[in-house]
Amino acid sequence: MADSEISTSLSRPSRRDVLSAALMTIGGTSFNNSAAAAPQDGGTTDAAVIAWNAWRAAHRRTLALCRKQQALESELARTIGFPQAVLAAAELPSPVRINSLWQFDQLAGDLPSLCTRRAQVAAVLRAHQQRWDEADRAIGYSVARQREEAASDEEERLMKGVLAAEATSLRGLSTKLDVLLAVGADGAEGRHFPWPELRRIRRDVARLMQVQRHDAVGFTA
């Protein structure tokens, strides 16, 4: 392993947790209890609903894989610890935890006298990284992470498919709002997302769907 590679990347930002939390807290928009999830005609042909069903399955798979790789990463962090070296030197007011040679070089840039310790720090980091890699292979953390990333990419593709599909019913429109609310929670831009307006529109759609079902029942009675 080259010196520049002595580091351990953390798991990708907790997109799954943010998205899942949004779906569970935005009220009637969660796909677990959404009006969109309740079939109205026993087999809709609405392209948006069909695409939404595929996205919902992908989301559940991605979330399960994310939880698995996060649990494995937590196990590695607890048993092995993220690769690091503790540097104590007279030039430093207290010992410093070094996580990469890049971090060491930044520190040595201000304290050139530390440069003589670079090889020592590199050796400690390399040994710790090797222990991490061996434990990783034993429990399958990297494999789980790769699977989660692939599933996340597939889910994102299916999200775009739902929004691009032509909705031909209120149920189809409802599914689009569900996905749009979920996507809006992803990332820093979610803070500025028009949550109240979208929730209001979503409630309007749900109300119209109930009226539509009521009218259909009254008509057939």
Side-chain angles (χ1 to χ4, degrees):
M1 179 182 295
D3 287 350
S4 60
E5 297 174 345
I6 300 177
S7 64
T8 298
S9 59
L10 301 178
S11 60
R12 58 168 42 185
S14 54
R15 178 177 184 273
R16 303 299 106 205
D17 291 342
V18 173
L19 190 148
S20 179
L23 287 171
M24 296 304 293
T25 59
I26 56 181
T29 61
S30 169
F31 61 62
N32 288 315
N33 57 16
S34 170
Q40 300 176 54
D41 54 14
T44 181
T45 57
D46 192 312
V49 176
I50 294 172
W52 179 82
N53 282 326
W55 168 75
R56 178 175 61 167
H59 169 78
R60 287 173 171 167
R61 171 174 168 76
T62 305
L63 183 57
L65 289 171
C66 178
R67 287 171 175 165
K68 178 179 180 180
Q69 68 90 6
Q70 286 178 338
L72 293 174
E73 183 181 69
S74 295
E75 181 179 345
L76 284 174
R78 183 179 64 255
T79 58
I80 305 299
F82 292 107
Q84 63 178 354
V86 178
L87 178 63
E91 299 92 327
L92 299 171
S94 61
V96 176
R97 296 182 185 276
I98 303 295
N99 302 107
S100 68
L101 283 180
W102 178 86
Q103 183 183 355
F104 174 86
D105 290 339
Q106 292 292 108
L107 183 63
D110 295 326
L111 298 170
S113 59
L114 294 177
C115 291
T116 58
R117 306 284 298 276
R118 193 177 194 277
Q120 176 189 355
V121 170
V124 172
L125 286 174
R126 187 175 294 107
H128 199 166
Q129 182 71 54
Q130 184 176 353
R131 294 196 301 274
W132 174 283
D133 293 342
E134 290 172 353
D136 177 353
R137 287 191 292 270
I139 67 175
Y141 163 67
S142 288
V143 172
R145 183 179 178 185
Q146 290 169 2
R147 289 175 177 170
E148 187 272 334
E149 291 175 350
S152 178
D153 291 341
E154 174 65 6
E155 182 192 348
E156 184 174 351
R157 183 186 70 80
L158 291 171
M159 279 183 178
K160 294 177 181 178
V162 176
L163 298 176
E166 182 177 356
T168 57
S169 66
L170 284 174
R171 187 180 173 202
L173 179 59
S174 175
T175 64
K176 288 195 171 193
L177 286 170
D178 279 344
V179 172
L180 189 59
L181 282 163
V183 173
D186 184 21
E189 66 276 10
R191 294 193 301 270
H192 307 294
F193 216 66
W195 296 110
E197 292 78 7
L198 284 174
R199 291 194 189 102
R200 191 174 302 116
I201 294 171
R202 180 61 177 79
R203 288 195 296 269
D204 288 341
V205 172
R207 176 176 51 79
L208 291 173
M209 290 170 66
Q210 291 177 348
V211 170
Q212 189 180 70
R213 285 197 294 271
H214 181 270
D215 291 346
V217 170
F219 180 77
T220 58

